[in-house]
Amino acid sequence: MSTGLMQTPPLQIIDILKFAASAHARREIVSRLVDEPIWRYDYAGCLRRSAQAANALKRLGVKPGDRVATLAWNTHRHLELFYAVPGIGGVLHTVNPRLFDEQIAYTLNHAESGILLFDRNFLPLVERLAPQLPGIRAFIMLSDEQRHTPGIVNARGYESLLVAESPEIAWTRTDENAGAFLCYTSGTTGDPKGVLYSHRAVVLHAMAAGLAGAFGFTAFDVVMPCSSLFHATAWGLPFTAPINGCKLVMPCDKMDGASLQELIVNEGVTFSGGVPTIWTMYLAQLEKTGQTPATLQRLVIGGSAVPRAMAETFQKKFGVTVLQIWGMTETCPLGVVATPTPELAALGEEATNEAIWTRQGRLQFGIELKIVDDDGADLPWDGEASGALLVRGPWTVQRYFRMDEDAADQDGWFDTGDIATIDTHGFMRITDRKKDVIKSGGEWISSIDLENVAVACPGVKIAAVVGVPHPKWEERPILVIERHDGASVSEADVYAFLESRIVKWWKPDVVFFDAVPLTATGKIDKKVLRTRYIAALSG
Ligand code: ADP
């Protein structure tokens, strides 16, 4: 029996690049590289070289379903592999180099990746790990021929493999539900867990992310992904940009303020995205040099809460709109984006800014949300009630890679581990991660809210709040502050700043000045902080 009157071609990732190579053939892709000159070509060129890479991988024996791993930065070569590997039915395992050695080896072995392609400055890491990687049968260095060094792993050179191959290929059509990317969570608890993105999930996610109510891309945009390609596919930007004909600017591993500013100015970047840490460094650079963000119009920031002061500075001082997003590896990763609505606009600019700057984002088509209490009962969307945040939809994980049990329930609801409120406008606000919530005298203190206030204090670069055991109140918050270079902000300054901005019982019991440790995905490492300061209040 017919299932409908429309066609049913499976959604395929390679079709995105094929589309861009015909509809936006000359649109540029510019890439910094580890220590080679800046690379420039266009979507047509990217398709040709992706085909060459795919032919080379086939020659090395890659078959549909096989995993191919990368240890690579945001470069055009990595981008080519984003298309070449799924284009021959393979699965690209984007290894996160910020994990510990044992975790990197664990993910490579767990994924059963057979080939590892790596950027040149990962050679020492690869050589160190090689004895623990019996499954890797070929190492390939992402390098030009001139600078290629095989090392003790006897790596082949990417460019010399490519020149031997034809730019023509019959791409492999796979089931749209077949795996295409394998991304591991950072494993803050236990071993990293693999999330296998299907072609269908990646394509639908990329289409949704470009919508006007999300990133709002047009062919005039120049997009520079500063979230890592190895971390949940850089929020899908390597797909959303070509779908919309945007110029792509790849910053490699050079995420410092000066390098980003140079690319923004020289390439006319209009849109970028990354974790707050990167934009803290970027704002410090502007402050230091007196420069402005030139053509930059919009910034998506997520991965951890965007400090309100950061969003305000970008908007008010530089006219750059900050779109906060929330998501996770398990959601491909886009969950919600903070964009305005007419209803909000009617309340005035201040109310709109407040909503956009202090909430993680607004409900998007394709990802359903709900908040529930401890018994699993639905909580109201009144902006007050907070509970466990559950999500579901076509780009939400059902089961982790090679696990025996589902991660989501039978209706598809996946518990994110975050605590959130949702308001009548559909804006979601994360108040904490379950494991980071501070329970003081039976009441909750939101570590994120407290950090947000503290980070706005002049001289504060990073503010981290964790709960430590307290003999009377069970837990009390302590505040750890990393100062801006040269700043002299004191404990008294911080308390004076907090006083009028928080309720009394949220006042941190102690303020420490220290370097704030970050996790492999650039979030404040609260586990380390809790261990470091666990005895802070015992006496
Ligand atoms: P990890 O591997 O560290 O879990 P993810 O990037 O998948 O890496 O982390 C997802 C988590 O990051 C979310 O569950 C949430 O706790 C946090 N997060 C992401 N975006 C935001 C945001 N805008 N505000 C606050 N927390 C966020």
Side-chain angles (χ1 to χ4, degrees), residues 185-186 231 301-305 324-330 360 416 418 430 433 448 521 523:
T185 62
S186 58
H231 189 204
I301 310 183
S304 0
Q324 175 154 199
I325 66 165
W326 167 92
M328 57 199 313
T329 304
E330 287 87 340
Q360 268 58 33
T416 62
D418 287 325
I430 301 277
R433 266 189 146 175
I448 292 186
T521 51
K523 299 182 213 305

Side-chain angles (χ1 to χ4, degrees), residues 417-484:
D418 287 325
I419 309 288
T421 62
I422 305 177
D423 69 16
T424 46
H425 300 284
F427 275 97
M428 187 269 278
R429 194 168 75 88
I430 301 277
T431 55
D432 238 316
R433 266 189 146 175
K434 241 180 237 171
K435 57 186 192 316
D436 295 336
V437 156
I438 302 165
K439 207 102 194 251
S440 179
E443 295 294 335
W444 283 7
I445 295 176
S446 160
S447 65
I448 292 186
D449 285 352
L450 207 42
E451 285 162 4
N452 245 327
V453 176
V455 82
C457 176
V460 173
K461 184 171 167 200
I462 308 177
V465 172
V466 288
V468 294
H470 186 279
K472 178 166 176 198
W473 300 108
E474 289 162 57
E475 270 188 333
R476 287 294 302 157
I478 60 151
L479 172 61
V480 185
I481 281 180
E482 185 172 321
R483 296 185 182 99
H484 275 295

